[in-house]
Amino acid sequence: MHFSKFAVINYNLQKNTLNIFHLINKSVISVAFDFEIKGKSNEYLLEQLNSDQIDSLKNLDIICENKFFDYNKYEIQREMYKYSDKICRFVIHLNYDCNLSCSYCYQNVINKKIIMNDITLNQVNNFIIKVKRKIKPEALDVCFIGGEPTLHSEKILQIMKTINKNCNNIIYSIVTNGTYGNKRILKKLFKLGLNNFMITLDGPQKIHDYLRKDNNNRGSYQTIIRNLKKMQQYFPGVNVSLNCNLNQLNYKYIEELLLDLREKQIYYPIMYSFVIDTKAKKNQNTISNFQTIWKDIHQLSERYGYQFQPFYRDTYLACSLFQKNNYTIGADGYLYACIEAVGIPQYKQSHVNLYGSEYFNIKQAEFIEIDNHFEVCMDCQLLPICDGGCLYQKNNKNFKCPLNDLKNNDIDMALNYYFGEKNVE
């Protein structure tokens, strides 16, 4: 009997307590001892547990009989997650054109900025309905993205009207640059169920406007702030999340952004992500050495009242690239294995019109069945939140094992979230 490899353990030497959370089932528990635990081995501590404690920890998979059982259970959970029919997710790229020119955009690799035509739009609608009828999921998750999807809001309305007639339990969302503020159209979208918006602010105005200019070289910050205020005033029931793409130019100025949001009374939650290099271009401002930047920025944000779930940006068990019911749809009507690789032939799968055919299943399986794990990954505690790392970055030859970054940032943040503790090896 031993602690699961996937159970993260923090030793509180002052309280003689083990604080434990499990990376797969997300169970959380504290185990107190009536003696000093400093210097005691895990084997010794396990021997001191009573039968009730042992049963509780076994039920939570925090302790198990042997290492083979531990890893085998992980493999089973991952396969169940990969092939789960509970939720079908669709990321729909309506277009590749945009009213902003962001130098780090992953879609800069797409030369032809096409817009989904009416024939393809109808094929996408039929594809979603067919998937719904065949899989019978509990819910559909439909996300609109571009380019800038609000440039073609009529297409969004068409898709939503068709899906709503044929499906239920739909979660709609949109990833937008926030420059669109037509109240009449927004009201129509909200009425049809689009009530989750992710809007980008890449720092305080000076930096955001440098990174995210419109096609006439003008900054977009004030337009976005104005539209956010409009959303708060006229559509308070809509869920809006702000996203900040971290790079070398803006990560030291996040506090200025938070101060400005407070001053302007913008109260939406904020999230962060790191800019990554694309297949065609290495961005000179990409952060290559994370150190504790991720943790530091979140701790700063928490001091301003923002809250974050542990591992909210990390992979859980399997990247979407390896999930059977996670579909990334290009504006050309083709499915792409990776959202970062839309428009890249290497990641092109089948056209939506071929759903149900052997060819469709073969092209999908080519990616789903890729073994993304290095040999060393098999013994890694953090495999459930990494899944062997980003395949897109591996193929681009700019992959770095995230183990130390996860330990120095995400694990510390999770321990603090659950127990108010820092990581202790």
Side-chain angles (χ1 to χ4, degrees):
M1 185 173 64
H2 67 97
F3 283 112
S4 166
K5 177 172 67 177
F6 305 118
V8 177
I9 304 172
N10 167 265
Y11 302 83
N12 187 320
L13 302 182
Q14 291 182 328
K15 297 180 180 179
N16 293 314
T17 300
L18 298 188
N19 297 319
I20 310 168
F21 66 88
H22 199 283
L23 292 171
I24 297 177
N25 63 32
K26 303 178 183 178
S27 58
V28 178
I29 193 170
S30 293
V31 182
F33 295 88
D34 57 4
F35 57 85
E36 189 174 288
I37 65 172
K38 184 177 181 180
K40 302 295 191 297
S41 67
N42 285 344
E43 291 76 12
Y44 177 83
L45 294 174
L46 282 173
E47 290 173 357
Q48 311 312 307
L49 299 177
N50 61 45
S51 58
D52 288 340
Q53 290 174 314
I54 290 173
D55 288 343
S56 294
L57 294 177
K58 279 185 176 180
N59 289 336
L60 296 173
D61 288 335
I62 287 173
I63 58 176
C64 53
E65 296 299 330
N66 57 67
K67 292 182 179 180
F68 174 78
F69 176 84
D70 205 18
Y71 184 76
N72 186 53
K73 196 155 190 176
Y74 155 74
E75 285 190 312
I76 292 171
Q77 292 294 322
R78 184 176 184 269
E79 289 299 295
M80 289 173 61
Y81 188 75
K82 279 175 58 176
Y83 292 98
S84 172
D85 292 337
K86 187 174 182 179
I87 299 178
C88 291
R89 294 183 170 88
F90 305 88
V91 179
I92 305 174
H93 291 75
L94 294 170
N95 55 302
Y96 301 141
D97 61 326
C98 188
N99 58 336
L100 299 185
S101 300
C102 307
S103 61
Y104 62 79
C105 180
Y106 68 90
Q107 288 190 10
N108 288 337
V109 300
I110 303 173
N111 295 321
K112 192 175 180 181
K113 303 300 184 183
I114 67 172
I115 301 165
M116 187 177 288
N117 60 40
D118 289 341
I119 294 174
T120 302
L121 187 148
N122 288 331
Q123 290 171 334
V124 169
N125 276 336
N126 290 334
F127 167 66
I128 294 172
I129 293 167
K130 286 179 182 178
V131 172
K132 166 70 174 178
R133 289 174 178 170
K134 180 180 179 180
I135 304 300
K136 296 180 175 62
E138 294 179 14
L140 298 182
D141 186 324
V142 180
C143 177
F144 298 104
I145 193 170
E148 173 48 42
T150 59
L151 295 178
H152 307 282
S153 54
E154 290 298 330
K155 294 183 182 296
I156 301 176
L157 291 168
Q158 288 180 54
I159 292 173
M160 293 180 71
K161 287 175 182 177
T162 301
I163 295 176
N164 286 350
K165 286 179 182 178
N166 293 274
C167 307
N168 51 26
N169 295 331
I170 310 160
I171 304 165
Y172 287 113
S173 62
I174 187 168
V175 179
T176 169
N177 60 33
T179 58
Y180 187 81
N182 186 312
K183 281 199 300 180
R184 181 181 61 84
I185 297 297
L186 288 173
K187 189 173 182 179
K188 288 183 179 180
L189 293 169
F190 301 152
K191 189 174 181 179
L192 288 172
L194 181 56
N195 58 5
N196 295 285
F197 280 62
M198 181 179 289
I199 296 173
T200 302
L201 280 175
D202 275 351
Q205 181 171 354
K206 181 174 69 174
I207 294 175
H208 173 96
D209 284 348
Y210 176 79
L211 292 168
R212 301 180 68 82
K213 300 173 184 176
D214 68 17
N215 295 325
N216 294 314
N217 209 35
R218 296 173 301 198
S220 57
Y221 188 86
Q222 287 300 334
T223 299
I224 297 168
I225 292 295
R226 184 167 60 249
N227 287 336
L228 289 172
K229 283 183 167 292
K230 190 184 296 183
M231 294 280 278
Q232 284 187 161
Q233 180 179 357
Y234 296 106
F235 307 104
V238 174
N239 301 313
V240 176
S241 296
L242 306 178
N243 181 64
C244 182
N245 298 299
L246 301 172
N247 57 59
Q248 294 282 5
L249 297 179
N250 67 2
Y251 83 90
K252 294 181 180 178
Y253 300 94
I254 297 303
E255 188 162 18
E256 288 186 31
L257 170 62
L258 302 180
L259 284 168
D260 196 45
L261 291 173
R262 175 185 285 182
E263 181 181 331
K264 291 180 167 56
Q265 298 182 314
I266 303 294
Y267 299 120
Y268 293 123
I270 193 167
M271 301 187 295
Y272 300 96
S273 55
F274 282 112
V275 170
I276 68 169
D277 292 327
T278 66
K279 181 178 177 61
K281 183 178 180 181
K282 308 298 181 187
N283 193 308
Q284 63 179 353
N285 296 314
T286 301
I287 298 173
S288 57
N289 186 359
F290 292 171
Q291 303 176 70
T292 59
I293 291 172
W294 185 253
K295 178 175 66 175
D296 295 341
I297 285 175
H298 284 81
Q299 288 177 344
L300 168 67
S301 302
E302 286 170 352
R303 292 198 292 272
Y304 281 82
Y306 296 95
Q307 296 180 333
F308 307 92
Q309 290 290 322
F311 312 114
Y312 74 92
R313 281 296 193 193
D314 296 316
T315 298
Y316 175 70
L317 290 179
C319 169
S320 60
L321 185 149
F322 306 114
Q323 296 174 31
K324 179 175 76 77
N325 288 311
N326 202 315
Y327 305 97
T328 297
I329 305 170
D332 54 1
Y334 278 87
L335 295 171
Y336 291 85
C338 174
I339 189 172
E340 302 285 351
V342 170
I344 300 176
Q346 180 182 356
Y347 297 86
K348 196 173 187 178
Q349 296 178 300
S350 168
H351 196 276
V352 295
N353 221 24
L354 295 176
Y355 179 70
S357 68
E358 280 195 40
Y359 179 80
F360 183 98
N361 296 334
I362 290 170
K363 296 301 290 184
Q364 187 183 45
E366 285 178 359
F367 287 92
I368 291 177
E369 295 304 322
I370 289 175
D371 183 0
N372 189 45
H373 299 160
F374 296 116
E375 187 173 346
V376 69
C377 296
M378 303 301 108
D379 293 321
C380 181
Q381 180 187 39
L382 305 187
L383 186 57
I385 57 170
C386 169
D387 195 31
C390 176
L391 182 63
Y392 178 74
Q393 291 182 323
K394 288 178 180 178
N395 290 339
N396 292 350
K397 309 300 182 185
N398 58 5
F399 173 75
K400 184 185 76 170
C401 175
L403 176 62
N404 289 330
D405 291 330
L406 288 169
K407 281 186 174 181
N408 295 333
N409 292 276
D410 302 74
I411 295 298
D412 264 2
M413 291 164 59
L415 287 167
N416 185 62
Y417 178 88
Y418 292 129
F419 309 110
E421 304 281 353
K422 292 184 178 181
N423 192 16
V424 177
E425 294 290 347

